[in-house]
Amino acid sequence: MSEHAELKTGPLEYRREDGPLTILGFWIFLAAEVVLFSTLFATYAVLFGRYGDATPAHELFEMPMALTMTFLLLVSSFTCGIAVHMMRKESLKGLVIWLIITLALGLGFLGFEIYEFVHYVHEGATIQSSAFWSAFFTLTGTHGLHVTLGVFWCTAIIIQLIRFGLTPVIARKTFIIGLYWHFLDVVWIFIFTAVYLIGMVV
């Protein structure tokens, strides 16, 4: 069997010989991302409450906004899972439709996050106003940048699916963006709990 030969059975994303190795490499990349976000969470915990003269978090954080962003991201993770399910059924149309829905929900999340940041800056809470707000914007902003990357990545995959169809290579890329999207969802759950919920009551 040649280096890039395709298998006849098994999930589509694993049918090329280099598929499992590529997916394993992405899991290792996600482990590095866990280290990155763990460092940002630890920094946030150390700087929590150090507002200086800036406005405290509990005066600015709004539960409806945080819940809306959480709802959008959780639902997008669900729709991304359906997209992968459609891929396993080799339904190109279903896969593209659910990826577009995932993309729209991700854009909705980013829209609310940008609105939130602008609102905080308008209220005087900037990345330079205190140690707490510096840690907050760094942590949530890093997550937002990752979601932005995921949006561009997902868009590129949708374009490839439309142009070239559902091949083992594109299926592998789709599976990997699914892993990435679920990872961002898990990180957000920690942000929602550690940043917003605790910030509103402490």
Side-chain angles (χ1 to χ4, degrees):
M1 189 173 288
S2 65
E3 181 183 358
H4 299 301
E6 295 181 7
L7 304 176
K8 300 297 182 184
T9 59
L12 193 57
E13 66 272 19
Y14 286 100
R15 289 187 188 175
R16 276 173 59 99
E17 281 188 337
D18 56 349
L21 191 60
T22 303
I23 292 172
L24 174 62
F26 192 76
W27 276 109
I28 296 173
F29 167 76
L30 288 183
E33 290 286 277
V34 169
V35 174
L36 168 65
F37 278 102
S38 297
T39 303
L40 294 177
F41 273 109
T43 303
Y44 178 83
V46 169
L47 299 179
F48 183 81
R50 299 187 179 186
Y51 299 114
D53 296 329
T55 307
H58 62 83
E59 293 186 11
L60 291 182
F61 285 172
E62 298 176 1
M63 181 59 79
M65 178 72 70
L67 284 176
T68 301
M69 290 191 292
T70 302
F71 174 79
L72 288 172
L73 210 54
L74 287 178
V75 174
S76 74
S77 190
F78 177 71
T79 58
C80 188
I82 296 177
V84 173
H85 177 68
M86 290 292 109
M87 181 185 76
R88 292 276 172 78
K89 295 177 68 175
E90 300 190 17
S91 170
L92 176 61
K93 182 179 178 181
L95 171 58
V96 170
I97 289 174
W98 285 105
L99 281 181
I100 290 174
I101 295 173
T102 301
L103 190 62
L105 292 167
L107 286 170
F109 170 85
L110 287 175
F112 276 99
E113 186 163 67
I114 291 171
Y115 171 81
E116 179 193 38
F117 284 1
V118 171
H119 173 66
Y120 291 166
V121 170
H122 181 72
E123 295 295 328
T126 70
I127 196 170
Q128 298 174 322
S129 60
S130 70
F132 169 82
W133 286 110
S134 179
F136 168 82
F137 281 109
T138 301
L139 174 58
T140 56
T142 300
H143 178 267
L145 286 176
H146 278 68
V147 175
T148 303
L149 173 63
V151 165
F152 282 110
W153 191 354
C154 191
T155 302
I157 289 176
I158 291 171
I159 292 173
Q160 291 181 46
L161 284 167
I162 293 173
R163 289 191 61 186
F164 306 113
L166 187 54
T167 67
V169 173
I170 300 177
R172 185 188 67 210
K173 294 177 181 178
T174 304
F175 182 74
I176 287 176
I177 186 63
L179 292 177
Y180 182 76
W181 204 266
H182 294 314
F183 169 75
L184 295 180
D185 192 27
V186 171
V187 172
W188 178 258
I189 291 173
F190 281 99
I191 290 176
F192 176 74
T193 305
V195 175
Y196 290 97
L197 289 184
I198 294 178
M200 288 179 193
V201 298
V202 177

